[in-house]
Amino acid sequence: MARYFRQNIYGDSIVPAPAVEPLLGHRLARKAPIVAGMRAQDRVVTQSRRVVLAAGLSGATSWLVPNTDPVTAADTHPLVGVVRTVAREQFTLTPGCFLELRAIVGLSGQTQTAGFPGPSDPSAAGGADGQIRLVTTWDDGGTPIVRTFTKSLPPSPREFAAAPTAQGGQFTEIRKVVIANIQPESLNNTQTLRRWCQPTLVTLELQHVGGARVVDCVVVEVPYAVAMESDDAVWCSHVYGPSVDGAGPLIDYPYQRLSETTPDGNRRGGTWQLQDVAHNQAERLGPCLVSWTSYDEDDEDVRMTEAAPVEVTSSSPRVLNNSSLGAYDATREGWSLSAGAYARTRRLNDPVGMPNNGVIPIRLRVYCQGTATGGNSGGVIRFQSGPYEWVEATVASGAAAGWVTAWGHARVGRGPGDASTAQCIVWRTGGSGGFRIWAVRVHHQDRVVDP
Amino acid sequence: MAAPITISDTVFYGDGGTSLANLAIDDSQRATNLTVGVGGIFEANSVRMLQNAERTIDARFRADNTHAGYLWSYGGQRFTVTAGGTINAVVNSATVLALDATALFSASTQTYVVSWAMGPNPGGSGATALRSELNVWNVSTGAHVKGVVLHSAPTQTLTTAVLWAGTGAGVNAFTGTRTSLRFSTSFHTATETYEELIAASSTPTLAGEDRTHVVVPPQSSAIGDDGHFAGPISALAAAAAAQNDLRLAGPLVNIVARSRETHRGDRVGDEPFTLADPDGSGRYLYLHWLAYRAIPPGVSHVSARVFIQQWRTTGDDDDLEISVYSMDRPGWAYRPASSPVAIDDPHTSVTRNADDTSAGGLGEWVDFDNLRIARDLDGWSYFALGFRVSSPGGSGSTADQLWTVKAFIVDPIFEAQGAGLPGLGG
């Protein structure tokens, strides 16, 4: 019979610095300082507010949805109800955390109907409806679950559902929308929750519908609850009590574990669990570093159903975000990896050999396709974080649109202040056309296997 | 050369120039010398170099494009140089990677560091169980090449390890000028090899507190078993947990712009998207860069960077003040003038006066002082960019000052409060 342990971890909590001095040598072991260390382990996953998807204007200066009336028999506005995929992401979930979407939006603009009734109908307006949709796929290695979350956006009351044009007008009408509790299924049942606290690969597809005007949209991890079964192999929390401050088991003296009975013993409360959790946290917990989409609000076609990709047609290396660059250059624009330094481990960062630099293991994921307008070709996507450090993923010529991945390391330095700039360098291999890129994702991942 | 060379996983390090006798002296923690042979040095039944899962071999030498030979040999495992500049990794008597470094070699004798790092490949098995990286640096010119290959694990059994040749008798001895060779039992990244063997980075100035991984020995160490002192594990685990408070804290804003739109000093075209700071500074918030982010509980400040390019087509360069805001509301428009509750909107600014119109359309990174975070009731913050153009004199109108933002970065930091203030640091 399975034995489960559940711990609620929603709500803010910092990770305290447990007193180490009472645990030093030549002192009697006492429960309180030992338990403080176990509780501190439990608070680590509660810190996650990882940005797992970010998309928005990102510098664009005009809306896809215009301020004008739809023109009959011309493509001037998004079609009513048609979904536009603007961003894609894929990452491994922090055990105990699930997702929340928050967006800052302008009031939605006008849409256009598909198929025009005829010249007697002076307007092809479809209404100022807008939505944000998030399609989520949760894969623990079993049967994946797909679940879609939708939020309707308020429409603009102006003529033609226009956005404000007065000085500062856009700021006066922005709204905040929230989709909370983004989970694969109801998690009231502890056995169900336990399933999703095992290694889980999450795939996201962010969509705009209708006249949506989205300033900024972010999906973050938020702590929820941890559930483990006694014989699970990977515990990233100690699960000392039913909550991070809840009463825990009675520990009279240092155990290896509370119960030696296997299966279905109680592995908590002892030195072995302290060791395992510390090891798993170092190996499996780390930041999301890069979330990039090819979506460009300024330049997308109103009839788009997927963000226009970046087409790579050059057989010479080119920087993804600046094709005038042919090689990595830390003095030019790129993503920051400095926060990754908080997740450095001793194994890769010897304090004597490399005291002034830092590396972490990473997983690179790219959503791409082995074809472009001019034909098929394969390609290389190199994620470079330093003059000598990069990870390369490849796409095969003619490959269908999908995720490709590679594992390696990134130079992250010692932390914010010690600048660490990363760029993607891309080039096609073989063929005569090119390949397409829609999304790039980089997150911490040590020597563990994707579900 | 960087120092120190030997670290905790070094099981052999021999240097001392061309003399085999010097090269055989083990300067690592093992301090167990190898035996001098003919053309190379060796160790019979070498347990320390029987590493079938993970290892790194680093060699430093001087050579030209005629030199060749074995750097390290252990049964069917070999690390070799082919004349012309091909570096070979051989596993189970088959070459798994022949890295073309010929562009780094010439008729002139130069200094090289070559490294073969081998380790587990996550998710791999069989023919893809391990992942090897070969890195080659021409230390004299700074040029570098790298190769990565997935391959099967060595099936090597205990045998003789030979350095700088194929056999102790000197078959396939390396013909270049030997300098040093290090054998390590763990995977070293290219960054680490460069730091330890070529040049170390200078000490960086961090924006906030650092975090250090505290290693807790695994169960297999038996240190936490019955009959052992339990204290060390509890103490190490407590220290490790405290250092993990920022482990999940990634960049809050990490945007490299897809749109490289040009902004003007008179905000023509940007008016609906720009909001004047009511403090009368003349600064405007730009909606194009507004980001709403959840703040990890252990984070107190942020460190921000912006990559900006500024120029003008007529007149003299104006001062462009770039500001990064953290706000508990998305702009002052939410606050009625009569409201006694003021928005919390700390900001940090840098003023730049430049003409970034050289070939390639450059610009540069602008780094800001640490910024205190203003949180809303949910623990989130609105980050935004603000701009103000002012004339330091000279010709032309501020209306004609142009700029574009190419990247916007906000990184989380914890900045401990100074002495005498309520403690927030741990």
Side-chain angles (χ1 to χ4, degrees):
Chain A
M1 178 178 176
R3 182 178 183 183
Y4 296 95
F5 301 93
R6 179 174 178 140
Q7 182 182 69
N8 293 321
I9 58 172
Y10 47 82
D12 285 340
S13 64
I14 63 170
V15 177
V20 175
E21 199 268 348
L23 298 167
L24 298 178
H26 302 289
R27 289 169 174 76
L28 286 175
R30 296 185 182 277
K31 173 183 175 181
I34 293 175
V35 167
M38 297 173 186
R39 291 192 184 283
Q41 284 190 329
D42 279 340
R43 289 179 186 257
V44 174
V45 295
T46 73
Q47 303 300 292
S48 181
R49 304 295 187 275
R50 297 196 310 169
V51 174
V52 298
L53 182 152
L57 288 177
S58 300
T61 56
S62 60
W63 295 113
L64 173 80
V65 184
N67 285 350
T68 54
D69 197 23
V71 175
T72 305
D75 297 339
T76 59
H77 290 64
L79 290 175
V80 59
V82 171
V83 169
R84 310 191 291 278
T85 295
V86 301
R88 293 177 181 270
E89 279 302 344
Q90 191 174 72
F91 61 97
T92 47
L93 192 65
T94 298
C97 295
F98 294 92
L99 305 179
E100 181 170 303
L101 179 151
R102 293 200 180 200
I104 309 167
V105 301
L107 302 182
S108 297
Q110 187 59 270
T111 59
Q112 197 166 20
T113 56
F116 306 104
S120 62
D121 188 341
S123 171
D129 295 323
Q131 289 181 338
I132 285 178
R133 295 181 59 188
L134 187 70
V135 181
T136 65
T137 303
W138 310 76
D139 185 358
D140 64 338
T143 303
I145 290 180
V146 180
R147 199 171 174 201
T148 299
F149 299 82
T150 303
K151 191 78 173 184
S152 293
L153 306 178
S156 169
R158 293 188 176 73
E159 184 182 29
F160 311 140
T165 56
Q167 173 66 53
Q170 301 273 6
F171 271 95
T172 64
E173 291 193 352
I174 53 177
R175 300 287 188 270
K176 179 178 72 177
V177 297
V178 179
I179 303 177
N181 298 322
I182 298 173
Q183 300 164 353
E185 52 186 328
S186 170
L187 300 176
N188 291 333
N189 177 277
T190 296
Q191 186 173 351
T192 303
L193 173 63
R194 174 257 173 188
R195 176 185 178 189
W196 302 110
C197 292
Q198 302 305 299
T200 299
L201 185 70
V202 180
T203 305
L204 303 179
E205 196 175 323
L206 178 68
Q207 300 169 339
H208 297 170
V209 184
R213 294 185 174 119
V214 179
V215 175
D216 174 72
C217 181
V218 67
V219 179
V220 300
E221 280 185 345
V222 290
Y224 179 73
V226 177
M228 303 295 294
E229 199 282 319
S230 180
D231 301 306
D232 283 333
V234 178
W235 290 55
C236 290
S237 294
H238 199 101
V239 196
Y240 176 74
S243 67
V244 291
D245 294 313
L250 181 66
I251 300 175
D252 292 326
Y253 56 89
Y255 291 102
Q256 292 166 175
R257 54 185 57 175
L258 282 170
S259 167
E260 295 300 327
T261 303
T262 56
D264 301 332
N266 190 343
R267 60 185 297 154
R268 302 140 64 227
T271 54
W272 285 2
Q273 180 74 332
L274 285 170
Q275 289 174 295
D276 286 347
V277 171
H279 173 76
N280 290 330
Q281 289 185 341
E283 190 170 65
R284 293 176 179 269
L285 302 185
C288 287
L289 295 168
V290 174
S291 170
W292 178 88
T293 173
S294 63
Y295 181 73
D296 183 353
E297 178 85 17
D298 268 332
D299 294 336
E300 298 290 348
D301 190 286
V302 293
R303 288 287 181 266
M304 64 162 277
T305 55
E306 174 95 44
V310 171
E311 289 207 344
V312 181
T313 57
S314 171
S315 57
S316 299
R318 286 284 174 264
V319 173
L320 177 64
N321 288 308
N322 187 341
S323 58
S324 68
L325 295 177
Y328 173 78
D329 185 349
T331 66
R332 302 298 300 273
E333 64 270 29
W335 298 288
S336 172
L337 304 186
S338 297
Y342 297 131
R344 288 171 298 146
T345 57
R346 184 66 63 90
R347 176 174 62 83
L348 288 169
N349 298 274
D350 189 275
V352 174
M354 193 167 68
N356 294 325
N357 211 330
V359 294
I360 62 170
I362 58 164
R363 169 71 62 180
L364 167 68
R365 304 182 191 270
V366 184
Y367 191 84
C368 54
Q369 181 184 31
T371 187
T373 304
N376 294 351
S377 83
V380 177
I381 306 98
R382 172 185 289 184
F383 181 79
Q384 186 157 354
S385 53
Y388 318 115
E389 210 68 66
W390 62 78
V391 179
E392 290 182 351
T394 58
V395 57
S397 177
W403 291 95
V404 298
T405 182
W407 181 85
H409 304 90
R411 185 256 167 199
V412 294
R414 282 281 309 281
D418 182 15
S420 177
T421 300
Q423 294 157 344
C424 263
I425 297 109
V426 296
W427 64 95
R428 70 171 172 83
T429 55
S432 58
F435 68 98
R436 295 173 173 143
I437 302 175
W438 285 273
V440 175
R441 143 68 65 204
V442 176
H443 61 84
H444 168 276
Q445 187 177 60
D446 209 333
R447 297 171 172 177
V448 295
V449 181
D450 270 349
Chain B
M1 181 181 295
I5 308 298
T6 58
I7 53 177
S8 56
D9 70 337
T10 307
V11 294
F12 176 79
Y13 178 68
D15 68 351
T18 61
S19 159
L20 286 176
N22 286 338
L23 289 168
I25 296 173
D26 181 7
D27 293 325
S28 78
Q29 60 188 325
R30 295 293 182 97
T32 303
N33 299 341
L34 269 59
T35 303
V36 178
V38 178
I41 54 180
F42 66 92
E43 179 176 61
N45 295 322
S46 180
V47 173
R48 57 176 151 175
M49 296 195 196
L50 178 59
Q51 302 291 341
N52 286 338
E54 189 170 355
R55 64 177 182 233
T56 301
I57 306 163
D58 306 298
R60 187 181 183 103
F61 54 82
R62 285 182 60 77
D64 61 31
N65 56 8
T66 67
H67 293 124
Y70 286 18
L71 302 174
W72 173 83
S73 173
Y74 194 96
Q77 329 308 316
R78 295 188 289 277
F79 188 24
T80 71
V81 179
T82 303
T86 300
I87 312 300
N88 308 289
V90 177
V91 174
N92 298 335
S93 302
T95 300
V96 296
L97 180 62
L99 180 64
D100 181 0
T102 54
L104 274 59
F105 286 77
S106 70
S108 301
T109 300
Q110 294 175 309
T111 302
Y112 297 88
V113 170
V114 299
S115 174
W116 177 11
M118 183 180 81
N121 172 39
S125 63
T128 62
L130 298 186
R131 178 177 178 277
S132 280
E133 275 189 24
L134 262 61
N135 284 283
V136 181
W137 287 270
N138 181 323
V139 181
S140 304
T141 65
H144 163 262
V145 293
K146 179 196 196 90
V148 176
V149 64
L150 305 179
H151 58 88
S152 58
T155 54
Q156 190 61 54
T157 54
L158 191 67
T159 189
T160 300
V162 184
L163 278 59
W164 301 112
T167 68
V171 174
N172 291 315
F174 181 67
T175 57
T177 303
R178 303 170 292 253
T179 304
S180 63
L181 191 144
R182 181 177 74 172
F183 191 99
S184 310
T185 56
S186 63
F187 181 98
H188 291 181
T189 60
T191 301
E192 178 173 0
T193 298
Y194 188 90
E195 292 273 329
E196 292 168 356
L197 297 181
I198 299 175
S201 299
S202 54
T203 304
T205 300
L206 299 183
E209 289 202 349
D210 194 7
R211 290 294 181 266
T212 304
H213 177 217
V214 177
V215 178
V216 179
Q219 274 196 40
S220 57
S221 68
I223 190 176
D225 288 1
D226 273 351
H228 294 256
F229 290 109
I233 294 299
S234 300
L236 289 169
Q243 291 293 312
N244 276 338
D245 61 337
L246 298 178
R247 170 165 284 276
L248 291 161
L252 299 174
V253 178
N254 205 5
I255 300 172
V256 178
R258 285 282 290 135
S259 287
R260 305 295 173 94
E261 304 301 323
T262 300
H263 301 286
R264 293 177 50 87
D266 57 6
R267 290 169 288 103
V268 167
D270 288 334
E271 296 94 334
F273 292 87
T274 53
L275 186 69
D277 190 328
D279 68 0
S281 62
R283 196 181 298 118
Y284 282 79
L285 279 188
Y286 280 61
L287 189 73
H288 320 99
W289 294 100
L290 187 64
Y292 186 40
R293 297 289 183 267
I295 308 300
V299 172
S300 66
H301 292 70
V302 295
S303 172
R305 321 183 76 197
V306 171
F307 194 98
I308 196 152
Q309 179 190 3
Q310 61 188 92
W311 72 99
R312 56 191 300 141
T313 57
T314 177
D316 295 323
D317 299 321
D318 288 324
D319 292 338
L320 177 65
E321 181 191 83
I322 312 146
S323 300
V324 177
Y325 284 78
S326 170
M327 301 179 290
D328 63 359
R329 262 164 288 172
W332 308 280
Y334 271 54
R335 170 178 176 255
S338 59
S339 170
V341 180
I343 185 173
D344 192 9
D345 59 349
H347 67 273
T348 176
S349 303
V350 169
T351 299
R352 186 171 182 268
N353 186 307
D355 180 9
D356 301 317
T357 53
S358 57
L362 299 178
E364 66 175 2
W365 285 106
V366 173
D367 292 289
F368 296 82
D369 291 339
N370 291 349
L371 177 63
R372 176 178 67 81
I373 299 171
R375 287 174 162 87
D376 67 9
L377 293 177
D378 295 332
W380 290 56
S381 184
Y382 296 86
F383 296 103
L385 290 180
F387 298 93
R388 177 171 70 115
V389 178
S390 58
S391 173
S395 67
S397 166
T398 55
D400 296 320
Q401 181 62 48
L402 308 174
W403 71 90
T404 186
V405 177
K406 298 181 178 179
F408 178 28
I409 310 294
V410 176
D411 279 325
I413 60 173
F414 179 77
E415 184 184 281
Q417 287 191 300
L421 295 171
L424 288 178

